[in-house]
Amino acid sequence: MRAARLTPIARTGAALLTAALFGLAPAAPALADDSPSPSPSASASAGPPTEAGTDFRTATAVQQGERATADASTGDYLYWAFPGDTGQDITVKATVTFPSTSVTHAASTWQIDVYDGLRRHQPCRYGMASRQADPGATSVELSCTLRTVTSYADTWSNDPLRGAYYLRLTATDIAQTDLGLPVQAAVEATASDAGGSAAADGSVTPLVPRESASVVPSGGWSSTWWSARWLWSAGGAALAALAGIGGYALTRGRGRPRGIPREV
C-alpha cells in the first residue's frame, strides 16, 4: 500500500506551522521585558541601608536581596519598603539581636507585618511571623512568605498586586521594665519566580505611593502583556493544526483507481 501523499497546500501549511512552533521558543525571552533599565541610584551605590523609618511615609527603601540593618530600641516601630513584581514568591526575614548590655527581664513577643502598596495587610502563606523571645535570649528570627504577586486582581479580593511593599517590625508584647532597651534589627526580602502557572490576564500600574517613589526594582518593572501562557497557547494551537492536516491526509483516500472510466 502506498503511503498517502500530502497535497502542495498541506505540505506548505505543515512547514509553516512547524516553523512557527519551533520559532516561538527563542523569541520568548526577547518579549519578556522591553522596558528600559533605570540607571543606578546614589543610594544603591552607597550600600544597604543602615536605618529604618518610623511609619509608612518614612519607610526606608531597600532592594530585594539587600540586608538592611538598623539600631533601635524595644518599643519602636521600624518600617522598610521594597518592590514586589509580577509572578514573584516573596519571602521576608527579620532578625532582632539583643546586645550583651541589653538583657531583658521578661519574655517579649516580636512580629513582622507586610503591607502592599494600598497598605492592605498581606497574610503569610507560611513562616513564623511572630515569635517569643525568652528572658536572656540573644536573638529572635522571624520569616514570612507571601502569596504570589499578581499583575491583576478583582477589586473585591485582597490578592497581592505588584508595586511597593512595606515591612514593619516591632515588639507586640513587652514588659514595661524592658522598654527602651537597645536592639539591632536586620531584614531582607528575597523572591523566586512562580512560573507561568501564576500568570493572570490583565494588569494594573505598579502600586507605588508618592512617598515611596524610589521603590523600583533594579531592572525596572516587568512587562505584563507577555506571559508563558502565550507560548503554551500558540504551541498547542500549532500542534492541533498539524494533527488536523495529518489526519486529513491519511483519511481523504487515494483518489480514483486506474482503469475505471469516468461516468458520461
Side-chain angles (χ1 to χ4, degrees):
M1 180 181 293
R2 294 184 302 171
R5 293 183 299 175
L6 296 176
T7 63
I9 295 178
R11 288 196 300 269
T12 303
L16 290 175
L17 288 172
T18 302
L21 175 62
F22 290 99
L24 281 173
L31 294 173
D33 186 6
D34 54 3
S35 58
S37 300
S39 58
S41 60
S43 60
S45 60
T50 56
E51 60 181 12
T54 57
D55 55 25
F56 287 103
R57 296 181 61 85
T58 60
T60 300
V62 59
Q63 286 293 328
Q64 290 184 7
E66 283 187 329
R67 183 176 174 85
T69 58
D71 292 329
S73 301
T74 54
D76 291 345
Y77 283 82
L78 308 178
Y79 287 80
W80 293 268
F82 61 90
D85 211 345
T86 303
Q88 291 184 338
D89 288 330
I90 298 176
T91 298
V92 178
K93 296 182 179 180
T95 302
V96 180
T97 303
F98 308 101
S100 57
T101 56
S102 179
V103 180
T104 57
H105 301 84
S108 58
T109 302
W110 293 81
Q111 180 173 311
I112 54 175
D113 295 285
V114 182
Y115 303 83
D116 65 6
L118 296 177
R119 299 184 184 179
R120 302 177 302 176
H121 184 267
Q122 293 297 323
C124 301
R125 189 167 58 181
Y126 53 85
M128 188 69 72
S130 179
R131 178 170 287 181
Q132 179 177 293
D134 296 329
T138 58
S139 64
V140 60
E141 296 184 354
L142 309 168
S143 66
C144 173
T145 298
L146 304 176
R147 295 171 296 168
T148 303
V149 179
T150 62
S151 61
Y152 178 81
D154 293 318
T155 54
W156 49 262
S157 73
N158 192 39
D159 293 340
L161 294 170
R162 65 177 184 151
Y165 280 78
Y166 297 94
L167 168 63
R168 183 178 69 185
L169 171 64
T170 189
T172 59
D173 184 15
I174 190 169
Q176 290 291 331
T177 55
D178 292 335
L179 285 174
L181 292 177
V183 295
Q184 296 174 347
V187 299
E188 182 179 9
T190 58
S192 59
D193 188 3
S197 60
D201 297 330
S203 64
V204 296
T205 302
L207 302 176
V208 181
R210 183 178 303 175
E211 64 270 13
S212 303
S214 59
V215 182
V216 179
S218 57
W221 299 107
S222 64
S223 175
T224 55
W225 73 270
W226 165 263
S227 71
R229 287 188 176 186
W230 289 78
L231 181 61
W232 286 105
S233 299
L239 289 175
L242 286 174
I245 293 174
Y248 169 77
L250 293 173
T251 59
R252 69 184 180 87
R254 298 173 57 187
R256 184 185 303 277
R258 294 182 180 180
I260 298 180
R262 295 179 179 273
E263 295 182 0
V264 179

